[in-house]
Amino acid sequence: MPRRLIYILTGFLILLSGGLTTVVEGQTLFARPDTTPDFSRYTNADECVVAASRLIQADIRERELWADTAIHDPTRRTQPPPDTARNVLRVCMEKFSFADMADAPNELIMAYLLAGQGEKALEVVHMEFARLIDSGATGEVLSDRFLSTLQSVRGMVHVDMDFINDMYVLGTSYIPADSLLQTVGLHALVMTIAKDVGDSAFAWQAALNAKDAYERGEDNLPTSQELANMVKVIYVSVLDHLGRNSMMDSLAVSTESYRNAKNNIWRIVMKDSTVELPDQVGHAVTSLEGDFWYEATGFNKDGGATNYSSISPRVVPTPGRNTVVTSLQGCHTYTTRVDAGRHNGSNPGCFSRAATMKRLKRDFPEVDFIVITGTYGVVGQAPPLSEPEEADTLAKYYLSFLEMPVTLVVGKTPSIRLEEPDRRRVDLPLPALESFQADGKPVLGIGTTAIIDSEGKVVMNGGQITPRYEDDIRRLLTALRRQNSE
Amino acid sequence: MSEDFKFTESLVESHRLIEEDRANEAIDNVLSHTSDRGDVSITVISHWTGSIRWGRNVASLSSDSRDVIVQIGRRLHPRTGGRGGLATTNQLDPASLKGAAELAEHYAHETNRPNGLDLDLQRPNHKSIEGDVWSDATFNRTVTENAGLIRDITTGSKSEGLLSAGYVEVIGTNITSYSRDGWQKVNRYYGEMTQAQASVTVRHPKGTGSGWAGQSSFDFARLDVPAMAKRAFDKCVQSIDAVRVEPGRYTVILEPQAAHSFFHVLLRTLNRFPQEAGGGHYTLGYDALIDRHRTKLGMRIVDERITMFHDPEHPLTGTMAEPGLEAVTYINKGVLSALATSYSYALNELLETSYIPSRGSYYVAGGDTSMEEMIESTSRGFLLTRVSAPSVVDHQSLLTTGVTRDGLWLIENGRITKAVRNFRFTESPLFMLNNLEQIGETVPVFSPVTHRRAILHSRGSGITPVVVPPIKVRDFSFTSTVDAI
């Protein structure tokens, strides 16, 4: 009998014989494995909250495992907390008093929300704010506190959207109408929360409220320039949400009208300011330069490259074709393992970018995808490589192993050596990136992405080719496709 | 009972360590149960410790511990970074070795998920230098001989009406290893070392005086336990009825053991990466032009009489082999000349494959001033035996705090005049070594192996011989008196 089958059957027998009970009993309160709550061991409300938190963390770990290569799901990050965690609190609420947790109101609110007792959570909010008002807190303090409370329970929105609705109503009473930053901030925050759960009608209404609030109080901007800018940035994000369809429609007509639409929004917000729209949308780009060129020569049904070859330099972006150009620096370098490109905190890594590129290539086969990167001198743990060797290695890594469906342009990175005894190598800017310009300025920064239309004009620059920006890129490419077909 | 189990049994009776041939036999046995696929590493570590401990003048432990550890590491996809399987046994019979080999193979299969690119991107083999750290005098020590030493010490302390405690420990280890990487490149290694260490503390029964002495070396012949015990006795007797002196800044003569505590604080921070990350005391500041923090490498950081280095082949600071371990001079005539680096750092920042592994062993070059001369030239100051539990309280300045212990004396007009109650000190080794008055002759100090695992798992850094001179510094900061003796 195969060994694996023996293990499965043995595990089954242990389960049937109640052997698992022994494992759970042997488990300490704060130890892994933490996916099986053991109510008999919890002696107070605090321990229940800790257990629920542990279960949520375990669920997040599980979800994030290889999540960067999973099929794109915009709501993935705001999935509801696991039932096990909610069950812990439901059971615990019947056994223990949670009144002792009054000094940690946010934790208590979350506990009630998890247990499905939104009305009690709201009571805690009322009590907390009554206490604050009694202690003399007014205006800004109350507003800040309210927004931070709302922000902290944002992850609970899937549990109780009614609570968010109640909080929205409550917020308008706590936040003074003349406090423009907090008022617009409240509407925008609720808009974001509603977008997270996919309630587009709610999000639309909150965005309209934010727009109205801003336009009503526009003459009452904060005196601090920093805070005034913050309000404007929030307003831009609201307008972006409200005007998304019209912007995409304008791009479907031409890149010029898209640029004009963006400029119009910018002018509305900046009003008397002379600051220009800080991007290069609508400007023509120069051709890419690089020292080593490789090209994916076949694609599978998932959009991944099946083969690649070294090619001579050519004109890129190619006239007549929409192009997505991305620079990859630091996705594999500064690591000692070439396979360390998995999602890691704020660094999306190579795996995530490759997965996004493949999905986009699958859905937009007519678009050219270009990756530009530089030599660094080192790949993996091997002794330093020559530039051609390193370029070949990078091609093998990006095009063969990661199956990026792209044309890969590798530039030689110039560097200097610090004087003795320091001797560190300091990289200088990559000429291939510096020379790829629009409007006299480089189009790409380290790790950023640009979309170029078929006339060689910038449609988008900034952002990264990662799941986070995938929706935006997808919308723009769809509009460009319509533009080309019309 | 199988023949091989008898071997294990006879090992306990007569062999302190298994021999290289027997270890290689075990390695071959494991290899016969290992497939040619992927890489394999087999390490046979044989370890022996003979220890005698005593407290309150009564022997409390006489132990003889010996063990064999066979570690088998397997990876089926070494080129692609797949995780591997590891199995360990301390039995040398064929059945146990076969079981361990199969277990490692099984784990390797279970974790066999290639998660990287199949490229020849392995790090190169680094040469490692090894000192001569084997001593027959240590290895052949018998329990009876050690017991005799202890009896003399406890008898002496009883007759003086004092209490003594301490230990004498001898250690022997040999390591036989075999490794084969994914490219069928085979490496074999055999290394052996001994360590002898002894510590004696003598205290007055009423808790009014305390003296300490300790020594360690790979060679027992270099230890003089009776002389050491006498020093501890003398210090205890001389430190009885200590008086209180007002804390403040004083000139202090630090005996080598006390100086070691401060040099050790320095040594632990001699790593390049943290300094260049911007948080260290050797960080010069941020240089916007290069977008990097610069360090004080190449600059004078302490008195020019200070030279601090380590040479694994030096007769007094020899260590076992460790990849990349070569001689290094950290501080050359007061100038910071090298900081430890990892292989990754060297490769990424310097584009070099040679690096400077950090280590616990070091040598501080001394001068020719004797302790007597140091005392005679001091108008008012202290003589310090050693310090207890030094801990860094400010990592920017390396400000360190701890307490003096086991003997502190006041020096007045070139003479030791009285024993003094202990102080808490708050001082930075960097400030201290910039206030250097005199430096004496270097001597090996007590730097024991405190945990058996240190030897079993880290070879070179397992034994950490240290050679330090006594030093006299001015303006040493004592911040309060303490009641502990």
Side-chain angles (χ1 to χ4, degrees):
Chain A
M1 192 182 290
R3 184 170 287 179
R4 186 177 292 276
L5 192 58
I6 295 172
Y7 287 149
I8 292 168
L9 289 177
T10 314
F12 217 74
L13 286 172
I14 291 170
L15 273 172
L16 287 175
S17 64
L20 197 64
T21 317
T22 318
V23 178
V24 173
E25 280 171 359
Q27 179 182 328
T28 63
L29 261 181
F30 303 104
R32 293 180 188 178
D34 44 14
T35 47
T36 312
D38 180 9
F39 301 107
S40 65
R41 298 180 76 87
Y42 307 145
T43 55
N44 57 46
D46 274 349
E47 288 178 0
C48 295
V49 173
V50 170
S53 161
R54 206 169 61 229
L55 290 163
I56 292 172
Q57 289 302 321
D59 182 64
I60 290 171
R61 273 202 303 275
E62 188 69 25
R63 260 193 282 141
E64 289 190 349
L65 196 67
W66 294 95
D68 47 7
T69 55
I71 292 168
H72 183 59
D73 173 10
T75 60
R76 191 180 62 221
R77 286 188 183 79
T78 55
Q79 280 181 1
D83 285 342
T84 44
R86 300 168 68 176
N87 197 34
V88 164
L89 287 162
R90 270 194 214 109
V91 174
C92 284
M93 293 263 172
E94 291 168 9
K95 292 174 73 175
F96 308 116
S97 164
F98 277 64
D100 292 345
M101 286 181 63
D103 55 345
N106 281 3
E107 284 80 354
L108 188 54
I109 291 167
M110 278 190 267
Y112 279 132
L113 285 175
L114 277 173
Q117 300 185 19
E119 65 290 349
K120 283 196 175 175
L122 203 64
E123 270 176 33
V124 177
V125 177
H126 277 295
M127 282 166 58
E128 177 62 10
F129 280 86
R131 189 185 64 76
L132 280 172
I133 290 165
D134 285 350
S135 66
T138 53
E140 211 157 296
V141 176
L142 283 177
S143 306
D144 284 349
R145 188 60 182 268
F146 188 82
L147 289 175
S148 72
T149 304
L150 189 55
Q151 181 75 35
S152 68
V153 298
R154 195 175 152 183
M156 304 289 129
V157 291
H158 282 279
V159 177
D160 198 338
M161 201 58 194
D162 288 343
F163 172 79
I164 300 296
N165 201 13
D166 291 341
M167 284 288 279
Y168 194 15
V169 174
L170 203 59
T172 50
S173 66
Y174 284 128
I175 295 174
D178 60 345
S179 174
L180 192 60
L181 177 62
Q182 276 86 358
T183 306
V184 176
L186 170 68
H187 295 306
L189 180 56
V190 172
M191 176 190 88
T192 314
I193 291 172
K195 274 165 72 180
D196 282 347
V197 288
D199 191 338
S200 55
F202 198 164
W204 183 263
Q205 188 54 51
L208 282 177
N209 292 346
K211 182 170 177 286
D212 289 347
Y214 177 84
E215 285 165 2
R216 271 202 312 276
E218 198 175 0
D219 298 331
N220 193 24
L221 280 170
T223 48
S224 151
Q225 190 59 42
E226 195 183 343
L227 293 180
N229 284 342
M230 204 182 287
V231 180
K232 287 178 180 178
V233 168
I234 296 171
Y235 182 49
V236 169
S237 71
V238 169
L239 288 181
D240 193 36
H241 179 70
L242 291 173
R244 188 176 291 283
N245 290 336
S246 62
M247 295 271 282
M248 291 305 125
D249 287 345
S250 67
L251 180 60
V253 175
S254 75
T255 304
E256 284 306 318
S257 61
Y258 176 62
R259 178 180 168 77
N260 289 339
K262 284 197 94 170
N263 260 321
N264 284 338
I265 289 184
W266 184 255
R267 277 190 213 104
I268 290 168
V269 178
M270 300 310 288
K271 257 193 170 167
D272 304 326
S273 170
T274 55
V275 181
E276 289 289 318
L277 180 67
D279 69 13
Q280 295 145 301
V281 173
H283 291 278
V285 295
T286 56
S287 185
L288 260 173
E289 294 168 9
D291 300 294
F292 308 97
W293 291 67
Y294 305 87
E295 189 171 55
T297 53
F299 307 98
N300 58 29
K301 64 179 172 51
D302 298 322
T306 53
N307 210 347
Y308 77 96
S309 63
S310 172
I311 58 167
S312 304
R314 60 182 173 84
V315 178
V316 168
T318 309
R321 292 175 70 86
N322 297 323
T323 309
V324 176
V325 192
T326 193
S327 89
L328 291 185
Q329 296 275 301
C331 138
H332 69 277
T333 53
Y334 290 95
T335 64
T336 53
R337 288 162 54 107
V338 286
D339 58 343
R342 231 169 288 150
H343 185 86
N344 173 24
S346 58
N347 179 6
C350 291
F351 280 76
S352 157
R353 294 164 203 246
T356 305
M357 283 181 211
K358 281 190 259 187
R359 285 192 293 268
L360 289 171
K361 183 68 182 175
R362 179 193 62 198
D363 298 343
F364 299 93
E366 77 281 8
V367 175
D368 285 344
F369 288 84
I370 316 285
V371 163
I372 179 161
T373 189
T375 56
Y376 176 70
V378 171
V379 182
Q381 299 228 345
L385 303 169
S386 68
E387 283 165 333
E389 280 174 343
E390 187 180 349
D392 282 347
T393 307
L394 292 176
K396 199 172 180 188
Y397 180 55
Y398 286 136
L399 302 180
S400 176
F401 176 66
L402 292 176
E403 298 179 351
M404 286 184 181
V406 301
T407 299
L408 177 69
V409 183
V410 184
K412 293 178 183 174
T413 306
S415 63
I416 54 165
R417 276 271 181 185
L418 298 183
E419 67 282 7
E420 289 283 344
D422 194 313
R423 293 186 296 108
R424 271 177 292 172
R425 188 270 314 274
V426 177
D427 286 341
L428 299 176
L430 184 64
L433 268 186
E434 294 285 297
S435 63
F436 183 54
Q437 296 191 343
D439 195 21
K441 292 170 286 192
V443 177
L444 294 173
I446 292 172
T448 64
T449 296
I451 298 178
I452 315 295
D453 73 5
S454 56
E455 292 177 7
K457 289 178 181 171
V458 177
V459 171
M460 180 200 91
N461 67 329
Q464 297 175 329
I465 193 151
T466 57
R468 184 176 170 196
Y469 292 94
E470 191 170 329
D471 266 0
D472 290 338
I473 295 172
R474 197 174 282 276
R475 265 193 287 269
L476 289 166
L477 291 179
T478 307
L480 281 176
R481 181 185 274 170
R482 282 168 57 201
Q483 184 192 117
N484 288 358
S485 63
E486 287 166 10
Chain B
M1 186 183 289
S2 76
E3 191 63 28
D4 294 280
F5 185 72
K6 279 180 188 167
F7 169 78
T8 312
E9 197 176 51
S10 64
L11 176 75
V12 176
E13 286 168 358
S14 59
H15 293 79
R16 285 183 164 168
L17 297 176
I18 66 164
E19 287 164 359
E20 185 181 358
D21 288 348
R22 182 66 188 97
N24 277 322
E25 200 180 300
I27 287 173
D28 292 341
N29 199 327
V30 172
L31 281 174
S32 69
H33 301 293
T34 305
S35 73
D36 290 338
R37 189 175 160 204
D39 66 6
V40 58
S41 67
I42 306 163
T43 308
V44 181
I45 302 167
S46 177
H47 182 78
W48 162 73
T49 306
S51 178
I52 287 197
R53 291 171 185 269
W54 79 99
R56 302 185 72 83
N57 296 335
V58 179
S60 57
L61 172 80
S62 173
S63 74
D64 183 288
S65 142
R66 53 193 79 181
D67 200 359
V68 179
I69 295 176
V70 183
Q71 273 185 347
I72 306 162
R74 285 283 284 133
R75 279 197 308 168
L76 300 181
H77 281 274
R79 291 179 174 213
T80 57
R83 290 169 60 200
L86 183 72
T88 304
T89 178
N90 66 351
Q91 299 295 313
L92 293 174
D93 61 285
S96 299
L97 292 172
K98 179 171 181 281
E102 286 177 352
L103 192 61
E105 198 82 3
H106 168 69
Y107 286 152
H109 275 281
E110 286 292 302
T111 57
N112 176 24
R113 185 175 65 177
N115 60 357
L117 174 60
D118 186 2
L119 292 171
D120 184 0
L121 295 174
Q122 299 291 313
R123 57 197 286 176
N125 281 325
H126 289 92
K127 87 173 172 182
S128 46
I129 296 174
E130 190 167 33
D132 180 7
V133 286
W134 178 266
S135 159
D136 286 339
T138 304
F139 191 65
N140 294 331
R141 288 293 296 180
T142 62
V143 175
T144 317
E145 287 170 330
N146 289 341
L149 281 174
I150 308 311
R151 190 174 52 244
D152 293 345
I153 296 170
T154 50
T155 309
S157 52
K158 267 183 201 162
S159 64
E160 296 287 336
L162 300 170
L163 295 173
S164 70
Y167 71 90
V168 175
E169 195 165 68
V170 276
I171 295 167
T173 294
N174 66 27
I175 299 172
T176 316
S177 71
Y178 167 97
S179 66
R180 188 194 69 217
D181 64 19
W183 295 267
Q184 303 297 315
K185 197 163 63 184
V186 170
N187 272 310
R188 282 183 181 271
Y189 168 80
Y190 175 78
E192 54 187 18
M193 56 141 283
T194 51
Q195 166 87 345
Q197 50 202 34
S199 167
V200 180
T201 303
V202 181
R203 288 176 70 88
H204 191 274
K206 290 184 179 173
T208 52
S210 174
W212 174 89
Q215 281 183 327
S216 61
S217 168
F218 76 93
D219 185 1
F220 196 92
R222 297 186 188 183
L223 269 54
D224 187 347
V225 178
M228 214 175 74
K230 183 174 183 318
R231 201 158 67 244
F233 275 118
D234 292 347
K235 279 180 182 289
C236 174
V237 172
Q238 288 162 14
S239 68
I240 290 172
D241 296 330
V243 298
R244 279 187 191 277
V245 176
E246 198 67 15
R249 287 192 176 274
Y250 291 94
T251 294
V252 175
I253 298 167
L254 293 99
E255 287 191 8
Q257 195 65 40
H260 163 53
S261 296
F262 289 93
F263 279 112
H264 192 248
V265 167
L266 208 59
L267 179 84
R268 280 187 312 192
T269 60
L270 291 167
N271 279 298
R272 192 160 173 180
F273 180 74
Q275 304 301 330
E276 289 174 354
H281 34 278
Y282 308 122
T283 303
L284 198 56
Y286 177 70
D287 186 339
L289 271 179
I290 57 168
D291 191 22
R292 300 276 203 287
H293 281 87
R294 286 195 182 262
T295 63
K296 292 181 182 170
L297 266 176
M299 298 175 71
R300 195 169 80 76
I301 55 164
V302 289
D303 190 282
E304 61 188 15
R305 284 168 287 179
I306 300 292
T307 292
M308 187 178 186
F309 66 94
H310 174 245
D311 181 354
E313 289 182 299
H314 191 286
L316 291 177
T317 57
T319 51
M320 281 183 91
E322 189 176 353
L325 198 70
E326 293 185 40
V328 59
T329 302
Y330 289 116
I331 298 171
N332 187 14
K333 294 180 180 169
V335 174
L336 182 65
S337 51
L339 290 167
T341 55
S342 66
Y343 174 73
S344 300
Y345 176 92
L347 195 61
N348 284 287
E349 293 290 331
L350 309 175
L351 283 186
E352 290 172 0
T353 52
S354 61
Y355 64 109
I356 306 171
S358 59
R359 57 203 86 187
S361 183
Y362 64 95
Y363 187 112
V364 177
D368 51 8
T369 314
S370 68
M371 286 291 282
E372 289 71 27
E373 285 169 334
M374 286 189 194
I375 293 169
E376 281 168 13
S377 60
T378 306
S379 59
R380 184 174 166 80
F382 291 98
L383 173 65
L384 172 56
T385 303
R386 67 166 176 160
V387 301
S388 176
S391 64
V392 178
V393 290
D394 176 26
H395 290 268
Q396 278 294 329
S397 61
L398 274 193
L399 198 67
T400 305
T401 188
V403 291
T404 65
R405 66 184 288 187
D406 299 322
L408 177 69
W409 289 275
L410 181 66
I411 303 168
E412 290 173 305
N413 299 321
R415 288 178 53 245
I416 293 176
T417 52
K418 57 191 78 157
V420 180
R421 296 293 286 267
N422 283 313
F423 284 122
R424 170 162 290 280
F425 65 86
T426 307
E427 186 56 271
S428 160
L430 287 168
F431 297 164
M432 194 181 95
L433 294 173
N434 274 297
N435 288 337
L436 191 68
E437 293 262 300
Q438 288 174 307
I439 185 162
E441 293 169 23
T442 46
V443 290
V445 298
F446 181 64
S447 176
V449 172
T450 51
H451 202 291
R452 197 169 61 119
R453 279 187 181 278
I455 284 182
L456 297 186
H457 297 297
S458 61
R459 294 193 194 172
S461 51
I463 53 169
T464 55
V466 171
V467 183
V468 181
I471 53 175
K472 185 165 102 178
V473 298
R474 61 181 176 277
D475 294 336
F476 187 93
S477 174
F478 290 125
T479 45
S480 64
T481 54
V482 292
D483 289 331
I485 300 301

